[in-house]
Amino acid sequence: MLSTLRIRHIGVIDDAVLEFGPGFTALTGETGAGKTMIVTGLTMLLGARLDRGRTGEAATVAGTLRLDGHDALRAALEELGADEDDGDLLVVRRVTRDGRSRAHIGGVPVPIGTLAAHVGSAVTVHGQADQLRLRESDAQRTALDAYAADEISPALARHRDVFARRAALAARARELEDLLAQRDRRGALLRDALERLETVDPQPGEDDAVREDIEQLSHAAEVREDLARAALALVGDDDTPSVSSLLALAADAVSKAQRVDSALQEASERLTTLGDEISDIAAALSRRAEDIDTGPGALDEAHARLHELTALVRDLGPTLPGPDGPATTVTELLETSRSAARDLDRFDGAEQEHTAVLAELETVEQELEDAASALTDTRVGAADRLAAAVRDELVQLEMPGADIRVEISPGPHREHGRDSVAILLAPHPGAQHRPVADAASGGELSRVMLALEVALASSRRDRTAAPVFVFDEIDAGIGGRAALAVGQRLAALARHAQVIVVTHLPQVAAHAGTHLRIVKTTDGTATSSDVELLDSQGRVRELARMLAGDDASARALAHADELLNQAQALPAGDAEEDR
C-alpha cells in the first residue's frame, strides 16, 4: 500500500504531506485548490512527465510504499540493490528547473523506465483519459485471466510450456536447415580439402623446418669445408700441427714433471681428458661434414616440398578459415582442419536430426493446438462469469439497462494463447455492443471501469499484496443515486485494495475511511495549498461545503451529518448482499 506522499513545488502545492489510510481515502477541496496536483504527483512516481508550465521551481515527489505481500516486487528491488526500512520503501522523483529528471528507489538511482516498471506494478492510476483496462486487448485478457486464475492459470501454464517447447524445436529446425544448406554448399569443399591434406600429409611446423633446410643446403659446400678445416685444426695429420698434437706434447711434459712433483697429477689427468674430448669433437665435426649433401638433388627436393606446402596453405586457407581469418602456416592449417572435420560430422548427422526434430515438432504442434483450444474454452467460460459480475455491479451503479459482453475472438498465436479479449458495452437496451471506450460517455466509462475493478478485486485470493488504485474524478458527469452507488462500490473495492479517490461529490467522499482536504490560501499576491486530515467534525463541515457551498449552514451541516452516518453505517459488504 501507499503510506505517505510528499509533494513539493507542483502547481499551487508548495510543500504538502499526505498520509493515506489502508482502505478508502478521499481527497476533496475547492475548485483550484490543487486536487489534481496530488494525482500529478502520483503519476510522477509512475514515470510520467511533468508539465513545466505547472511550476517554475524544481519539483519533488517522495512516496512510501509498504511491501508486505509484494514478493515479486520485493525480489526485483533486492536485485536492484534497493534498501527498505522495515518493509517500507522510499521512492523519490525530482524534476529540476531545466526539466531534467532524477529518480531513486530505496536510495538507488534508476532510469525513469525502471521507476515506472517497479512502482507501476503496485500502483494503478485511473483518470478520465487513462482507462487502460478498458482500452487495450492485452490488458483485458490479463484482467480476465486474473479474474478466473484458479481455472485459467493451469491451462495457461500448460500452454506456455508447450509454446516454449514448440519455439525451441522450431529454432532448432531452422538451425539444422541452415546446417544442411551449409552442407550442400561447403560439404564437398571440406571433403576435398581434408583429402588433399591427407595426401600431402604436412607435419606441424614443417614449412619452417623446410625453409631452414633450404638455408643450410644453399651453403652446404661452404659449411662442409669449414667443418673439415675445423677438424683438421683439432686433430691435424702427420704433416700439420694441430691442437691435439700440441696438447699431446703438453700432456707428455706434465707427465714427466709429475714423477718429481706429485701435485701435478690433477693437471696431468685434465690434459688427458681434454685430449680425449678434442678427439671426440673432431670426430663429430667430420661425421657432420660427411652427412651434408652438397649435391643439387637435395636442394631441389627441399624447394619442391616448400612449394607444395606453400600452395597447400594458400589454396586451403580460405576454405578452412580460423577465428582470425585464413591460415598462414601449416600449423594453423592443421588446427583449422580439425574444426572442418567436426563440421563434416555435424553435417553428416544434421539430416537425421532434422527429420527427428520435424517429427517431434509436428507432435508438439498438435499438442499446442489442444492446449490453445483448452485455454480458449476456459476463458470463454470465465468471460461469461466476468460479464455477469460486471453487469451486477453496473446495476448497483445505476446502469441497470447496460449490458456487458466479454468477447473472445481469434488473435495472433502467442505464448499466452491465441485469444483476443474485448470488453464490449451496450449502454442501454437495443444498443449495439461496442468497445467500452467508444460506447460509453465519460461518466458511464468511469462507472464501467469501477464495476470491472470491483468484480476483479472480489476474485482476488491474495489479500496481502493488495494493489493501489488512484481514481481521478471518477464521479465526473454523475450525481444523485448514481453518486451514492459509486461511493458504495468504491468502498467495496477498498475491501480488497487501497483506493485513493479525488472527488467533488459528497456522496462519494462520505464512504471513505480516511478524508483529506486540500486547503487553498492566498495572501493577495500568491496562492498555495496544504493538506489536512479531517476528523469527524471536520468531515461534516467539508461535506456541508460540498453539498451547499456553506460549511456553517445548520441545514447543510445536518444533511452532511446524516449523509456521513448513513454511509459509514453501511459496510461495503452490505451492498453486495442487497443485490
Side-chain angles (χ1 to χ4, degrees):
M1 61 170 279
L2 184 62
S3 302
T4 63
L5 182 71
R6 183 178 183 181
I7 298 176
R8 299 191 64 206
H9 306 311
I10 297 182
V12 295
I13 298 180
D14 184 54
D15 190 353
V17 177
L18 295 85
E19 296 186 3
F20 301 107
F24 183 179
T25 297
L27 297 172
T28 63
E30 296 180 358
T31 300
K35 298 188 296 296
T36 56
M37 296 300 101
I38 305 298
V39 178
T40 299
L42 282 167
T43 57
M44 281 182 64
L45 286 185
L46 299 177
R49 297 180 60 183
L50 176 65
D51 181 1
R52 298 308 304 160
R54 295 182 182 274
T55 175
E57 302 184 65
T60 303
V61 179
T64 304
L65 285 173
R66 189 72 185 171
L67 296 178
D68 290 345
H70 291 277
D71 296 335
L73 176 58
R74 175 173 270 138
L77 294 173
E78 287 179 358
E79 184 175 348
L80 190 66
D83 293 327
E84 57 179 271
D85 182 11
D86 195 23
D88 288 334
L89 178 75
L90 179 64
V91 181
V92 180
R93 172 86 181 279
R94 177 178 173 83
V95 178
T96 62
R97 288 176 180 267
D98 57 3
R100 296 187 178 184
S101 186
R102 301 287 185 271
H104 291 75
I105 298 179
V108 177
V110 296
I112 301 304
T114 301
L115 178 72
H118 290 316
V119 181
S121 68
V123 180
T124 300
V125 176
H126 285 288
Q128 287 285 306
D130 189 29
Q131 309 293 356
L132 291 183
R133 283 188 189 263
L134 303 182
R135 292 183 184 274
E136 297 181 358
S137 177
D138 283 350
Q140 293 171 11
R141 187 201 66 252
T142 300
L144 175 63
D145 290 351
Y147 176 76
D150 289 347
E151 305 127 59
I152 293 179
S153 291
L156 181 57
R158 179 193 170 210
H159 182 276
R160 281 179 169 155
D161 176 65
V162 180
F163 189 89
R165 284 163 47 208
R166 196 274 300 268
L169 285 170
R172 182 55 181 163
R174 290 191 295 271
E175 290 176 0
L176 291 170
E177 288 163 5
D178 290 342
L179 197 58
L180 290 172
Q182 291 180 38
R183 180 195 65 177
D184 296 338
R185 293 192 306 269
R186 298 192 65 233
L189 289 175
L190 292 180
R191 285 187 176 87
D192 290 345
L194 294 179
E195 288 175 3
R196 184 173 172 186
L197 270 173
E198 186 176 356
T199 300
V200 175
D201 192 24
Q203 302 303 311
E206 185 181 357
D207 46 353
D208 291 333
V210 171
R211 289 188 183 92
E212 186 176 340
D213 288 344
I214 290 173
E215 179 70 17
Q216 292 177 356
L217 289 169
S218 299
H219 301 84
E222 298 173 17
V223 172
R224 188 172 186 176
E225 184 178 340
D226 290 339
L227 293 179
R229 284 201 306 271
L232 185 63
L234 290 175
V235 296
D237 54 26
D238 294 340
D239 300 324
T240 304
S242 64
V243 172
S244 179
S245 62
L246 294 174
L247 187 62
L249 291 174
D252 182 63
V254 172
S255 177
K256 291 178 180 179
Q258 180 188 355
R259 297 171 187 168
V260 179
D261 186 357
S262 60
L264 296 173
Q265 180 179 356
E266 180 181 356
S268 178
E269 292 174 352
R270 291 178 64 186
L271 285 170
T272 301
T273 302
L274 185 58
D276 294 340
E277 187 171 352
I278 287 175
S279 296
D280 291 342
I281 293 173
L285 293 177
S286 296
R287 287 193 300 272
R288 178 57 183 161
E290 292 173 358
D291 290 341
I292 295 176
D293 189 350
T294 57
L299 183 60
D300 291 343
E301 289 178 5
H303 275 297
R305 182 59 175 173
L306 181 60
H307 175 74
E308 186 178 33
L309 295 174
T310 302
L312 189 72
V313 173
R314 180 196 64 210
D315 295 342
L316 300 188
T319 305
L320 307 174
D324 298 325
T328 58
T329 66
V330 166
T331 301
E332 291 177 4
L333 188 63
L334 290 172
E335 287 291 331
T336 56
S337 70
R338 295 189 180 94
S339 64
R342 289 193 295 269
D343 285 344
L344 281 177
D345 290 340
R346 290 171 58 218
F347 291 158
D348 292 339
E351 187 166 358
Q352 183 177 358
E353 185 183 355
H354 185 247
T355 301
V357 166
L358 289 181
E360 186 177 359
L361 185 58
E362 185 176 350
T363 300
V364 173
E365 288 280 9
Q366 184 57 53
E367 189 177 347
L368 183 62
E369 176 68 21
D370 295 342
S373 296
L375 181 56
T376 297
D377 292 343
T378 306
R379 280 179 173 147
V380 168
D384 291 340
R385 295 197 304 277
L386 177 59
V390 176
R391 280 195 295 270
D392 289 345
E393 290 297 329
L394 289 176
V395 170
Q396 301 298 317
L397 290 169
E398 300 299 319
M399 293 180 66
D403 185 56
I404 283 286
R405 180 185 300 165
V406 181
E407 186 176 83
I408 310 294
S409 60
H413 203 159
R414 295 181 285 175
E415 66 171 353
H416 50 67
R418 59 188 178 194
D419 304 322
S420 177
V421 178
I423 301 177
L424 307 177
L425 170 68
H428 52 80
Q432 182 180 359
H433 284 82
R434 297 163 56 202
V436 288
D438 301 326
S441 64
E444 289 173 336
L445 186 62
S446 297
R447 280 183 280 171
V448 172
M449 180 272 297
L450 177 57
L452 177 63
E453 295 292 14
V454 173
L456 293 173
S458 65
S459 69
R460 284 174 49 84
R461 298 293 178 266
D462 180 10
R463 299 294 187 246
T464 306
V468 180
F469 292 108
V470 180
F471 296 98
D472 182 20
E473 302 285 348
I474 189 175
D475 47 21
I478 62 173
R481 288 170 53 87
L484 282 172
V486 167
Q488 292 173 359
R489 304 326 292 159
L490 285 168
L493 177 60
R495 297 178 62 205
H496 309 285
Q498 184 185 27
V499 178
I500 301 170
V501 179
V502 176
T503 181
H504 65 280
L505 292 180
Q507 297 94 326
V508 172
H511 287 84
T514 301
H515 194 154
L516 302 177
R517 180 175 62 180
I518 316 300
V519 181
K520 179 174 65 175
T521 59
T522 181
D523 59 5
T525 59
T527 300
S528 62
S529 294
D530 201 355
V531 180
E532 294 180 352
L533 173 64
L534 300 180
D535 57 15
S536 297
Q537 292 184 352
R539 294 192 68 180
V540 170
R541 288 194 299 272
E542 175 65 2
L543 292 175
R545 181 198 64 77
M546 297 171 72
L547 283 166
D550 184 359
D551 63 359
S553 165
R555 181 173 296 179
L557 288 170
H559 188 186
D561 186 59
E562 179 183 6
L563 177 63
L564 182 62
N565 288 333
Q566 288 178 348
Q568 297 299 307
L570 181 64
D574 290 354
E576 296 183 16
E577 296 168 0
D578 290 345
R579 276 187 269 169

